Amino acid sequence: MTPVPSPSPPARGRRALLNAGALTGSNLWRIAVSFLLQILVARRLGLEALGHYTLLMAVLNIGQVLSEIGLPLLLVRDLARRPDLRRARLRQALLAQGGAALIAAAGLVALTSLLPAGSPLRPALWWIAASWPPYAALSACETLFQAAERMELVLGVEATINLFTVLASIGVLWQQGTVVHLAAVVALAQVVSVVPAGWLVMRARLLAAPQVQPTTGALELARQALPFFGLALADVLLQRLDIVLVGLVGGATAAGLYSAAYNLVRVGIKIIQSVWRALYPTLSRLSAQAPARYRQWIGLSLRYGLLVCVGAAAVGTALAAPLLTLLYGADFPGSAPVLRILLWVMPLFFVESALITHFLVQQRPHAALRLTAAHVTAMALLLPPGVWLGGAVGAAWAALIAQTAGVLIGLLLRPKRRSTTRGDA
């Protein structure tokens, strides 16, 4: 097969910047919608409802990762180098992720039987489960967008979904709706999203010839995806485990105070993730084609990214109290010290994300998995006693210490990397 010519360095640089901007814009729009809705829930339905809504969103994200079974991380890396496998891999991804979504949904519905019959979480979780199968199809399409380094297509789909979500949710809240109705909006939005995603796949000609049949079957692909699945699951646990544990150990009030602060920090976390996700396919190509240029990109990204993260944390620490009052009103004074602590998670998370991206590009997913697993374990061990001893503030300190542990483990793993031609996946 004739190799696909790679773009020139200036064109590659412009495309990488466009990808980073598009993916950052997509995440910012999603975060803005989520943040706006959480503010509206807090103001119209109260602190307890905010805790329930945040818990539902945590379950939503965990189920989405379960439905993806690690395939997006694997396929983005591989299809960035082999675009002729897109059609076959899309078919395999739709089947595998659709089946996983149905299994996850059935499991969640079964678990809801453990809740009290009158709990509003039971019907709300049913709607969350119903959203996972259509999300699996959306995820498969967006994997193609990312592998083709066409992040503007991700932006288009995500902008459409979130615009629909925010408008429908505002309407529900205006009509005195509950968290159950908001969960129904989430499910409907996932169904609607599949249509524009599929249309963009065809319009962008992402499946155009030449296309070949892979030598790797579905079972082998699933085996290769296992460390990526573990990494993706651990990543979403990192983003949501603290919310779940604070809610279970400290109750809805502690979860509301912690959520109010964490929702602000989450903006920075998502921006950091979007930057490294946008660079991921480009770095995968550069690692194989131009190792020196790959190292240059990693070094520059770390240098300037850390400067921005440290500066943002310092400014946020100084403005924590007035910022929370402006956004949430006067009911969240206890969130200010929580925010001042959690802001310093961002610079550490930036370094951890750089290490994970490096391990994945160098075909060392097990090293990335060990790093993230250590972070999750530290979070699970430190957060419950942190909540018992200090409530939401204790939880924030536990999250910061766990993040530090993750970075230290990653730095210890880095000198042990193997060559790019003899990876662990």
Side-chain angles (χ1 to χ4, degrees), residues 241-272:
L241 180 62
D242 51 352
I243 298 293
V244 174
L245 289 177
V246 172
L248 292 176
V249 178
T253 300
L257 292 174
Y258 185 90
S259 298
Y262 178 73
N263 289 337
L264 289 174
V265 177
R266 187 167 177 264
V267 176
I269 295 295
K270 287 299 182 181
I271 292 174
I272 292 169

Side-chain angles (χ1 to χ4, degrees), residues 169-187:
S169 298
I170 289 174
V172 164
L173 291 173
W174 186 265
Q175 296 297 321
Q176 307 301 318
T178 66
V179 291
V180 177
H181 301 101
L182 294 174
V185 169
V186 170

Side-chain angles (χ1 to χ4, degrees), residues 313-338:
V315 172
T317 300
L319 300 177
L323 184 59
L324 286 167
T325 301
L326 175 65
L327 292 173
Y328 292 106
D331 296 333
F332 292 81
S335 291
V338 179

Side-chain angles (χ1 to χ4, degrees), residues 54-77:
T54 305
L55 179 61
L56 289 174
M57 294 303 101
V59 174
L60 172 71
N61 289 347
I62 292 172
Q64 288 175 344
V65 170
L66 291 175
S67 72
E68 290 179 334
I69 58 173
L71 283 177
L73 278 174
L74 172 63
L75 293 180
V76 166
R77 186 193 70 183

